[in-house]
Amino acid sequence: MTRRLLLSHLSLILLVLLTLEVPFGVFYAHSELSRFSHAAQQGAMTLAEVCEDKMEHGLAADLPGLARAYGQRTGSRVLVTGHEGTVLTDTAARARVGEDLSAEPDISTALSDHPAVGTRSDPAAGGEVLFATVPGGSDATVPCVVRTVYALGPLKAKINAVWLALGVAGLGALATVSLIGFALARSITRPVQALERATAQLAEGRITDPPDTGHGPPELRRLALSFTRTATRLQHLLQAQQAFSSEVSHQLKTPLTALRLRLENFEPHLAPCAQDSLDKALGEMERLGRMVQGLLALARLENSAIRPEAVGLDAVVADRAAVWAAFADEQHVGIRVSGATGVRVWAVPGALEQIIDNLLSNALRVSPPGTAITLATVTAPSTEGRTPPMAELHVIDQGPGMTEAERLRAFDRFWRAADADHDGTGLGLPMVRQLSRVGGGEVTLEAAPGGGLDAVVRLRCTEGHPHRERPGTSADDSAARPSHPLTSARRRP
C-alpha cells in the first residue's frame, strides 16, 4: 500500500513537472534561436549600410578591415559581394576575391533586395550554422551584399545547459516529493498495517499486539479504537462461550449418568409389562448423551482456531478402514479401499479421522448385508486458476440412498430422514462439514451409481501428485464387490 500511494503521488508530480518544464524548455530554445537570428540580421543590416557608404565614397579598400573588425567583435564569418555577386572580401578566406557567388540562393535573394536568414549544415564550421544575408542599400540597384555566418554550437550548448538545469531541478523536486510522500504514506499505512496484523491475530483467536490508537490520521485512529473495542468484546464473548461449553461438558455428564443409573436400578422392581418402556427410556438417555457430546464437539470446533497440517490421506483411509473392519464384519458388510496413493492434504489434527468415522458409521447403518462400502481417493491435476489441486475422498454405500431434497437437508443440525430406523442425533454430517471447512475443503452428498449414497469430501492437496491406482483390498473377501465407483458414477462439474 505504501508503494502504491508513493507511486501515485510521484506519477502526479512527474506529470506536473513534465507539463511545466517541457513546454518551458521548448519555448526557451525557440525564443533564443529567434532572438539570435534577429540580432544577426540587424547586425548584418547595419554592416551593409556602412559598406554601402564606404563604396559610395570610393573607400572600397576599407571593406576587408571593416569586415574583420565586425567578425572579431561578433564571432562571425563576414562575406561582402558587389552588385553583381562578385566577392569583395571574405574573413574566412573560403571564397576568392572576384569569385562570382550570384548563383547561391541567399546571395541571389539579397541581390533582389530581400534579406535571407536561416540555418544550414556546414561541415567546415563543425556543425550547423546560422546565416544572415542582407542587401546594402535601398535603391533599385543593390550596390553590395553582406553575409554573416554564426556557428550555432555555443547557442545549442546554452540551450542544453538550460535543459540540464530543468532536469536537475525536476529530479530534485521528485526526490524531495518522494521523501515527503514516503513520510505521508507511511503515516497512513502504518496504522493500516497494525490493523491488518491485529485482524490476523484475531482470526487466530487472540490479539497479542493491539493497534496503536495514538498515531496516524484521525480517521484511522478512530478506526483502530473501534476495532480494539470490538475485538476485546469478541474475545470476551468467545472466552465466555468456551467457558460455557467446558462447564456444560462437566455439568451435564454427572446428572445424565446418575439418571441412567437410577433408571437401571428400577429394572428389578418393574413389572414385565413396563420393561419395554424402561428400555426405551434408557435408549433415549443414550441418545441424549450422544447429542450432548455432539453439540459440545461442534461448539469446541467452531471456537477453535487450529491451523491445518499436512496429512497423508491414503494412510488415514487405510487405518480407519482397518479399524472399522470388525464392525463391518458383524453386519456382513465389506469395506473396500481404492484410488491414488501418496496423496497429502490439509486438515486439522484428528479431523480426517473423525470425518471418515462419521461417514463410515452412517454408511454401515444403511448398508444391507452382503454389500460393500467403498473408500476411494481421487486427485484432480492442477489447472490454470486452480492451485493447489484438490483431492476427493468418496465414501460410497449400497444402501437405499437419498432424494435430492434429502441430500440438501442432510447437513442441517438434528435433521433425520422421515423413514430413518436408527437412533442417530443428526449431528454427524454437520460435524463432517465443519471439520472439512476448517481445513479449507467441502463435503457434498451425491447419488451413487446403481443406488446408494456417495459422500464426497474435497480437500486441498499440499502439492501435485501422480495418479497411481492401487488394487482394491477388502476387509471381507466374501462380500460383494461393486463396480469401480469412479468410472461408472456421474460426477458434478
Side-chain angles (χ1 to χ4, degrees):
M1 186 175 179
T2 302
R3 184 170 60 254
R4 293 190 185 96
L5 288 175
L6 187 58
L7 286 177
S8 61
H9 193 59
L10 290 180
S11 299
L12 179 60
I13 297 300
L14 182 60
L15 179 62
V16 172
L17 289 175
L18 290 176
T19 304
L20 294 177
E21 290 190 351
V22 172
F24 175 78
V26 172
F27 173 77
Y28 176 79
H30 179 74
S31 62
E32 282 295 304
L33 181 59
S34 177
R35 183 189 61 79
F36 190 70
S37 301
H38 181 71
Q41 183 179 358
Q42 291 296 324
M45 292 175 65
T46 302
L47 179 61
E49 291 176 357
V50 175
C51 290
E52 178 190 10
D53 185 64
K54 291 288 185 181
M55 293 179 70
E56 287 180 354
H57 292 82
L59 300 175
D62 295 342
L63 294 180
L66 182 64
R68 281 195 302 272
Y70 183 84
Q72 291 175 356
R73 187 173 68 254
T74 60
S76 62
R77 169 196 169 193
V78 181
L79 182 143
V80 182
T81 69
H83 66 281
E84 295 180 352
T86 57
V87 177
L88 299 178
T89 182
D90 184 2
T91 58
R94 293 185 185 177
R96 299 185 307 273
V97 176
E99 183 179 352
D100 187 7
L101 299 181
S102 61
E104 294 189 4
D106 60 325
I107 299 294
S108 176
T109 301
L111 289 174
S112 301
D113 199 21
H114 296 289
V117 181
T119 60
R120 65 188 177 191
S121 179
D122 189 353
E128 196 173 10
V129 296
L130 172 73
F131 65 88
T133 306
V134 298
S138 57
D139 299 333
T141 302
V142 177
C144 66
V145 171
V146 175
R147 175 202 282 170
T148 57
V149 180
Y150 298 86
L152 290 179
L155 179 62
K156 288 188 174 181
K158 182 181 178 181
I159 293 175
N160 291 337
V162 172
W163 276 112
L164 180 61
L166 289 175
V168 171
L171 290 177
L174 281 178
T176 304
V177 171
S178 298
L179 294 176
I180 298 174
F182 181 77
L184 291 175
R186 287 291 295 168
S187 67
I188 295 174
T189 58
R190 190 181 294 111
V192 175
Q193 292 172 352
L195 282 171
E196 181 183 8
R197 289 193 300 270
T199 304
Q201 293 172 2
L202 181 61
E204 296 295 331
R206 184 174 182 82
I207 296 181
T208 58
D209 185 17
D212 189 1
T213 59
H215 295 86
E219 296 82 1
L220 290 178
R221 291 201 299 268
R222 290 194 294 269
L223 177 61
L225 182 61
S226 300
F227 175 83
T228 303
R229 291 176 179 173
T230 303
T232 303
R233 181 170 177 80
L234 284 176
Q235 282 186 322
H236 290 164
L237 291 176
L238 289 175
Q239 291 172 358
Q241 186 177 1
Q242 292 173 356
F244 173 76
S245 300
S246 220
E247 292 172 0
V248 167
S249 64
H250 289 288
Q251 296 298 328
L252 288 182
K253 287 180 181 179
T254 301
L256 286 176
T257 303
L259 182 58
R260 177 183 177 84
L261 290 175
R262 289 181 180 275
L263 289 176
E264 290 178 347
N265 289 334
F266 286 151
E267 185 174 4
H269 309 286
L270 292 178
C273 60
Q275 188 66 40
D276 184 60
S277 298
L278 178 62
D279 292 339
K280 290 181 179 179
L282 290 174
E284 288 299 322
M285 285 297 303
E286 293 179 359
R287 182 171 176 271
L288 179 60
R290 290 195 302 271
M291 185 178 297
V292 169
Q293 293 296 330
L295 286 173
L296 294 176
L298 277 174
R300 286 192 295 267
L301 184 61
E302 291 171 349
N303 294 334
S304 64
I306 305 174
R307 291 187 175 181
E309 298 178 355
V311 180
L313 177 59
D314 54 322
V316 176
V317 168
D319 176 69
R320 304 320 297 169
V323 170
W324 282 87
F327 297 96
D329 287 343
E330 294 178 359
Q331 301 182 25
H332 304 286
V333 175
I335 297 179
R336 183 178 181 228
V337 178
S338 64
T341 60
V343 181
R344 296 183 66 79
V345 297
W346 292 107
V348 297
L352 195 53
E353 289 85 351
Q354 295 183 53
I355 290 173
I356 297 175
D357 287 347
N358 278 282
L359 294 179
L360 279 176
S361 176
N362 291 341
L364 281 174
R365 286 195 185 104
V366 298
S367 294
T371 61
I373 300 172
T374 301
L375 299 177
T377 305
V378 182
T379 57
S382 59
T383 57
E384 184 177 357
R386 186 185 179 188
T387 303
M390 301 293 288
E392 293 183 355
L393 170 63
H394 296 258
V395 181
I396 306 172
D397 62 62
Q398 295 178 289
M402 290 183 176
T403 64
E404 184 176 358
E406 290 175 338
R407 293 198 300 270
L408 293 175
R409 291 205 57 195
F411 293 100
D412 295 342
R413 295 184 181 183
F414 305 111
W415 182 86
R416 296 171 62 196
D419 56 350
D421 56 355
H422 56 81
D423 56 353
T425 62
L427 294 174
L429 287 177
M431 189 178 299
V432 169
R433 168 171 282 184
Q434 187 65 25
L435 289 169
S436 302
R437 288 178 173 176
V438 169
E442 188 55 87
V443 59
T444 58
L445 298 180
E446 301 178 5
L453 193 66
D454 180 4
V456 184
V457 182
R458 297 178 178 87
L459 300 170
R460 293 183 299 119
C461 292
T462 57
E463 58 185 4
H465 302 282
H467 292 263
R468 294 177 294 176
E469 297 294 326
R470 62 187 173 192
T473 58
S474 175
D476 185 358
D477 292 335
S478 62
R481 297 188 179 185
S483 59
H484 197 289
L486 304 178
T487 58
S488 56
R490 178 169 57 87
R491 302 292 171 214
R492 292 182 180 177

